[in-house]
Amino acid sequence: MLRSHFLNMILFSLLVSVFFSFLTQTDRKERLKVMMILCLSMVVLSLIIAYAMFPFPLSAPR
Amino acid sequence: MPSKAAEAFVSCLLAWLIPGGGHFYLGKRKRALVFFLVIVATFSLGVANDGRSYLMDRQQPLTYLATFTNIATGPLELISRQATYHTLTYSIPADENDPVAVQLVERMRQKVRSVTDEYGTTYLLAAGLMNILLILDAFDISIGRKD
């Protein structure tokens, strides 16, 4: 069981980016490029969204 | 030599039976291996993280789509269904007082109580969605629309 949200996010991003790079590209260099762009954008965008949500409380104030 | 229609049918069927099987049949061996590893890894992470397979519930129409996505993973999906419900069932009885429905809901709740259930269920759905794309890709390759 992986309890770390961050580790799950990294693993999920890696698996999905490898899948889509092999699905959409045939050239080795292009695959690597697409893989990096997809993986990084998923991780970075998730961190930005997480950071933007930080000020909001987890539950409604009483 | 099989006709294009037969080749398309066989490749789609193999793609559903074994992730990457359609590509292997069409001669894309390296790609097939990568697809197989990625989908099996995603699916395994789903099972390991206490992911749950969906059941078709008349009161929640979206469960039909989720169950279809689970089934798209192929026979591999039977493992997660067995792990979730201890039986191979695909729908929940309409009568919520039915003992079978009560038992299924209780087994589903046991999974939901797990801390990692959300992650696991997402992995399982992602594996199914990726396999749907592989089936469509195998179809495109077999009819010559794609290399």
Side-chain angles (χ1 to χ4, degrees):
Chain A
M1 243 192 259
L2 290 171
R3 281 169 183 249
S4 162
H5 190 97
F6 187 70
L7 194 60
N8 269 306
M9 186 180 73
I10 299 277
L11 267 174
F12 187 83
S13 306
L14 260 176
L15 289 166
V16 171
S17 55
V18 169
F19 176 82
F20 277 103
S21 64
F22 272 81
L23 190 72
T24 58
Q25 306 296 324
T26 47
D27 181 58
R28 203 175 177 175
K29 272 188 179 174
E30 283 299 309
R31 266 182 196 158
L32 199 66
K33 193 176 143 189
V34 169
M35 203 186 300
M36 297 276 280
I37 292 170
L38 274 177
C39 192
L40 281 174
S41 54
M42 274 194 273
V43 172
V44 172
L45 282 173
S46 304
L47 288 176
I48 290 171
I49 293 169
Y51 188 75
M53 288 196 301
F54 189 69
F56 297 103
L58 284 173
S59 55
R62 290 177 189 173
Chain B
M1 187 154 173
S3 69
K4 268 196 171 178
E7 200 176 61
F9 176 75
V10 173
S11 61
C12 289
L13 183 69
L14 282 173
W16 176 71
L17 283 172
I18 309 159
H23 287 76
F24 191 84
Y25 172 73
L26 295 166
K28 315 284 178 196
R29 304 275 157 98
K30 191 180 155 193
R31 252 194 277 178
L33 180 69
V34 173
F35 290 143
F36 178 79
L37 292 175
V38 166
I39 291 184
V40 169
T42 310
F43 179 82
S44 306
L45 278 166
V47 175
N49 278 322
D50 274 339
R52 91 198 105 88
S53 294
Y54 276 88
L55 290 176
M56 288 180 275
D57 185 353
R58 282 186 195 172
Q59 291 165 348
Q60 297 179 51
L62 284 177
T63 56
Y64 284 82
L65 285 176
T67 310
F68 174 76
T69 307
N70 281 148
I71 294 170
T73 318
L76 202 62
E77 192 267 341
L78 300 176
I79 299 169
S80 62
R81 198 159 289 278
Q82 181 70 28
T84 311
Y85 304 107
H86 307 293
T87 177
L88 299 177
T89 185
Y90 289 87
S91 64
I92 196 159
D95 177 14
E96 58 186 37
N97 295 319
D98 185 319
V100 177
V102 172
Q103 198 178 37
L104 289 173
V105 169
E106 184 47 42
R107 282 177 182 159
M108 205 187 296
R109 280 187 185 142
Q110 280 173 6
K111 286 279 178 189
V112 174
R113 281 186 206 116
S114 168
V115 185
T116 55
D117 166 70
E118 293 280 346
Y119 303 140
T121 306
T122 305
Y123 278 121
L124 291 181
L125 288 174
L129 288 170
M130 288 196 280
N131 212 31
I132 292 174
L133 290 177
L134 280 192
I135 295 169
L136 295 174
D137 196 55
F139 178 79
D140 278 350
I141 294 171
S142 62
I143 62 167
R145 201 185 285 166
K146 192 186 165 191
D147 281 338

